[in-house]
Amino acid sequence: MNILEETQAVLCTAFARSGGDKFTGVDWQPGTSGAPLLAGAAAWIECHLETAHDAGDHEVAIGRVLSLARGRGLPLAFCESQFVQLKPLVSSADAIRR
């Protein structure tokens, strides 16, 4: 699983479209499991699929984490049909002092 960085909205949109080769022109490298790890992602999580559950028009996948890593930047988020920025509500230091 690739967690895209907030500047990767164009890449996210390209992967969301149906059809075509999603990886044409995309910089990536294989992870330890062989899964594609996209360059510039905010994080990567490699999993082994344990089971998948039917959930109407999609499936819910349950995986065992094999490895994970964090890149740089903040994650890309999509809410109410638009890309949005995530920002801290309070710093962890401030939360501890309260």
Side-chain angles (χ1 to χ4, degrees):
M1 176 185 333
N2 291 276
I3 300 171
L4 298 180
E5 200 265 342
E6 67 182 355
T7 62
Q8 294 179 307
V10 172
L11 179 60
C12 180
T13 302
F15 271 90
R17 289 192 185 103
S18 61
D21 181 0
K22 308 286 190 213
F23 291 93
T24 299
V26 174
D27 186 14
W28 66 277
Q29 64 182 20
T32 55
S33 69
L37 305 180
L38 303 179
W44 306 268
I45 306 169
E46 288 189 86
C47 297
H48 170 75
L49 181 62
E50 293 289 330
T51 188
H53 301 281
D54 186 32
D57 64 347
H58 61 283
E59 290 183 318
V60 175
I62 307 297
R64 181 172 29 96
V65 175
L66 302 173
S67 67
L68 55 98
R70 173 134 173 38
R72 296 182 183 198
L74 296 173
L76 180 64
F78 193 77
C79 180
E80 297 181 351
S81 301
Q82 63 185 342
F83 292 107
V84 296
Q85 287 185 311
L86 299 178
K87 62 181 181 178
L89 297 175
V90 63
S91 76
S92 58
D94 290 339
I96 291 169
R97 284 193 283 268
R98 290 181 183 195

